[in-house]
Amino acid sequence: MAVAELSTSFTETATCFRSSQLSLSSSSSSSSSSSSRFSHHLRRSFCPSPRTRNPTISCSVTSDQVQTPTVVQAETPKGKSECYGVFCLTYDLKAEEETKSWKKLINIAVSGAAGMISNHLLFKIASGEVFGPDQPVALKLLGSERSVQALEGVAMELEDSLFPLLREVSIGTDPYEVFQDAEWALLIGAKPRGPGMERADLLDINGQIFAEQGKALNASASPNVKVIVVGNPCNTNALICMKNAPNIPAKNFHALTRLDENRAKCQLALKAGVFYDQVSNMTIWGNHSTTQVPDFLNARIKGLPVKEVIKDHKWLEEEFTEKVQKRGGVLIQKWGRSSAASTAVSIVDAIKSLITPTAEGDWFSSGVYTNGNPYGIAEDIVFSMPCRSKGDGDYELVKKVIFDDYLLKRIKKSEAELLAEKRCVAHLTGEGIGFCDLPEDTMLPGEM
Ligand SMILES: NC(=O)C1=CN([C@@H]2O[C@H](COP(=O)(O)OP(=O)(O)OC[C@H]3O[C@@H](n4cnc5c(N)ncnc54)[C@H](OP(=O)(O)O)[C@@H]3O)[C@@H](O)[C@H]2O)C=CC1
Ligand SMILES: O=C([O-])CC(=O)C(=O)O
């Protein structure tokens, strides 16, 4: 595009940015790829659809139907969620939905958005890989005072990626603002356990984050928001979040154990000498910790019970189980940091499992609320169990599973750990005074 043409176009659009964003938008104009994006937007820009909430921007329609945005000055409260850079440009998404048969925009909130896992995940979501090629998305990124600059960096990279389906990006530090109308909340941000830190302290510090975020979801999010808790200790964080969000169905809360499922499938495939797509019906029972139980009794390889394919049952009971339980820790030793890319992939898998009908006869694992479970697992905790979905965002627990003494004993151990974690955070779930009597060997998969 000729420079002269760009500068005319850009003058019109630049007013759409808030003053704090002007330096970024100016620099954007110097890149040729951004130039074509700006003019592309201008050609298709009309008044924003009612769905596009941006209180500080208004627009008028010119004779050639091109939107001329005008800034309405507004003081931005500290911590408020803000649209970012090019995503503050508004256009008639409704018209685009009609012409391109796109679905209605969905709002996806992500906490810890400046962290390692998010850095992989956000670009997958924005590309359409997660929700589909006809699903426009709005990303609402939650950070903290620590990470405001980093969040802007993330948003800049999202801008520069020119994803057609990414219609809005906003960043903020107040969960009540960021979670507004969220239909998915991917809660990744949490304090990592540092050297010498007691697990009880980690439960308390991160529990407070998830109590606050539960309250914020309750107040601001879509009433049927689906919540996936990734930040550790994710099962108990999910329980705390759920208890602080009484208006959201308890069934909507998940703790991410899909990474453990994927790790278990990989190890079984390796041992059996088959590609990992041949492994199905893989359940992780219990806590996302070293007490988790990868279930080789119900899993299948090429449709056959694992024990019929892998005859080395000692390996299954000892090496396989421990390998999966401690995979995160081994990876930290090699990589120097915890799994980020594979965790992001497993979050994608977890979401897709809820929005796609589960294949006939198969299932997936998720940490979900135990009330009403058919396995006799203690009620009122978040425990990883086998689930199936019709693809509507909801799930049902699988009834046809078998147990033996080995499996039951292991499940009981993980259950005891989660009950102890629950007692430890009673002050955060509204159930009295927290009392920590955690089993000594309790660890995250990343700790060894
Ligand atoms: N369930 C699972 O399978 C897995 C879970 N995890 C867990 O996911 C979480 C995120 O991992 P990852 O993205 O690699 O971590 P990073 O350290 O890269 O990012 C974590 C983010 O957490 C936020 N955070 C929130 N509260 C605090 C705090 N008190 N101190 C420091 N940071 C805080 C920070 O963002 P900000 O400052 O913006 O709040 C930071 O960006 C961790 O809890 C990790 O243990 C990791 C792998 C697998
Ligand atoms: O302990 C951690 O932070 C990492 C983790 O959960 C995992 O790798 O499964």
Side-chain angles (χ1 to χ4, degrees):
M1 169 190 279
V3 174
E5 192 189 339
L6 165 69
S7 56
T8 318
S9 304
F10 190 67
T11 313
E12 283 177 341
T13 52
T15 54
C16 204
F17 290 78
R18 289 190 179 79
S19 54
S20 64
Q21 290 151 346
L22 277 173
S23 59
L24 173 79
S25 48
S26 304
S27 66
S28 298
S29 70
S30 62
S31 108
S32 60
S33 59
S34 295
S35 310
S36 56
R37 182 159 173 84
F38 281 128
S39 77
H40 177 65
H41 275 153
L42 270 178
R43 277 201 297 276
R44 297 189 294 142
S45 290
F46 299 98
C47 268
S49 67
R51 197 177 307 126
T52 311
R53 293 170 313 283
N54 194 329
T56 61
I57 296 175
S58 66
C59 81
S60 56
V61 179
T62 57
S63 56
D64 62 351
Q65 291 294 291
V66 172
Q67 173 188 341
T68 309
T70 53
V71 176
V72 177
Q73 292 301 332
E75 223 14 69
T76 306
K78 199 163 181 263
K80 195 171 161 55
S81 177
E82 294 245 7
C83 68
Y84 192 82
V86 76
F87 302 105
C88 296
L89 296 169
T90 53
Y91 25 79
D92 189 352
L93 186 57
K94 191 162 182 292
E96 296 199 0
E97 282 162 7
E98 279 161 11
T99 53
K100 290 189 176 175
S101 311
W102 275 2
K103 293 178 183 161
K104 182 174 171 291
L105 181 81
I106 54 169
N107 293 314
I108 301 152
V110 180
S111 77
M116 291 295 299
I117 296 171
S118 296
N119 203 250
H120 293 274
L121 179 66
L122 293 172
F123 294 82
K124 290 177 180 296
I125 294 173
S127 73
E129 179 186 334
V130 185
F131 291 97
D134 54 354
Q135 179 59 74
V137 293
L139 285 174
K140 299 153 88 63
L141 310 182
L142 180 65
S144 71
E145 295 304 324
R146 282 180 301 267
S147 62
V148 169
Q149 292 287 319
L151 268 191
E152 287 197 24
V154 171
M156 285 166 69
E157 285 212 85
L158 286 166
E159 281 186 310
D160 295 344
S161 301
L162 312 184
F163 289 119
L165 289 164
L166 183 59
R167 310 314 294 210
E168 296 177 23
V169 173
S170 53
I171 62 180
T173 58
D174 178 352
Y176 286 81
E177 289 284 342
V178 175
F179 293 164
Q180 194 72 45
D181 299 327
E183 287 145 295
W184 288 85
L186 312 175
L187 305 184
I188 301 172
K191 185 179 174 67
R193 182 168 172 180
M197 187 193 271
E198 294 291 324
R199 188 173 168 97
D201 293 337
L202 186 73
L203 276 164
D204 183 54
I205 293 168
N206 284 336
Q208 290 185 38
I209 294 172
F210 285 88
E212 172 71 3
Q213 292 184 1
K215 289 189 181 90
L217 285 168
N218 202 52
S220 304
S222 157
N224 199 27
V225 60
K226 303 290 186 286
V227 184
I228 300 183
V229 176
V230 180
N232 275 319
C234 62
N235 294 55
T236 298
N237 288 341
L239 182 76
I240 294 168
C241 192
M242 186 200 89
K243 293 276 181 176
N244 283 278
N247 297 338
I248 299 169
K251 240 189 140 185
N252 290 16
F253 290 80
H254 297 259
L256 185 80
T257 55
R258 185 53 169 267
L259 176 60
D260 307 299
E261 174 185 328
N262 292 354
R263 288 167 170 167
K265 281 182 167 171
C266 179
Q267 292 308 312
L268 288 180
L270 260 171
K271 182 73 176 172
V274 300
F275 200 57
Y276 34 68
D277 64 349
Q278 299 297 312
V279 185
S280 64
N281 305 80
M282 187 72 242
T283 311
I284 299 294
W285 296 94
N287 202 0
H288 176 69
S289 78
T290 50
T291 67
Q292 67 177 268
V293 191
D295 175 356
F296 53 82
L297 185 66
N298 289 285
R300 293 184 166 254
I301 298 174
K302 290 188 167 179
L304 295 170
V306 167
K307 281 181 155 181
E308 285 181 25
V309 179
I310 298 173
K311 307 282 188 203
D312 184 352
H313 297 177
K314 191 165 180 296
W315 178 87
L316 285 170
E317 288 186 5
E318 292 171 9
E319 278 182 63
F320 164 69
T321 301
E322 193 173 318
K323 258 195 173 159
V324 177
Q325 289 169 334
K326 296 190 172 170
R327 180 79 165 175
V330 173
L331 189 121
I332 289 172
Q333 281 175 358
K334 304 260 182 211
W335 222 158
R337 57 153 179 78
S338 63
S339 311
S342 58
T343 306
V345 168
S346 74
I347 298 169
V348 172
D349 290 342
I351 296 170
K352 280 184 168 172
S353 288
L354 291 169
I355 60 173
T356 317
T358 311
E360 188 66 37
D362 203 0
W363 60 70
F364 58 91
S365 301
S366 187
V368 292
Y369 195 45
T370 49
N371 277 18
N373 79 84
Y375 319 115
I377 291 161
E379 304 256 301
D380 205 28
I381 51 178
V382 170
F383 202 86
S384 185
M385 299 184 281
C387 305
R388 286 182 54 80
S389 177
K390 294 189 178 75
D392 54 0
D394 204 357
Y395 67 90
E396 296 300 330
L397 292 174
V398 175
K399 295 198 178 66
K400 275 193 184 166
V401 286
I402 53 171
F403 296 94
D404 61 10
D405 286 348
Y406 174 92
L407 186 55
L408 282 174
K409 196 169 146 222
R410 298 274 173 151
I411 286 175
K412 280 282 157 209
K413 188 174 175 194
S414 206
E415 179 193 72
E417 179 177 68
L418 280 167
L419 288 169
E421 287 190 13
K422 183 181 152 191
R423 285 192 293 276
C424 194
V425 298
H427 58 299
L428 298 170
T429 56
E431 286 156 8
I433 299 167
F435 171 71
C436 287
D437 59 346
L438 298 169
E440 251 177 52
D441 65 351
T442 186
M443 289 200 277
L444 297 173
E447 298 168 338
M448 286 173 59

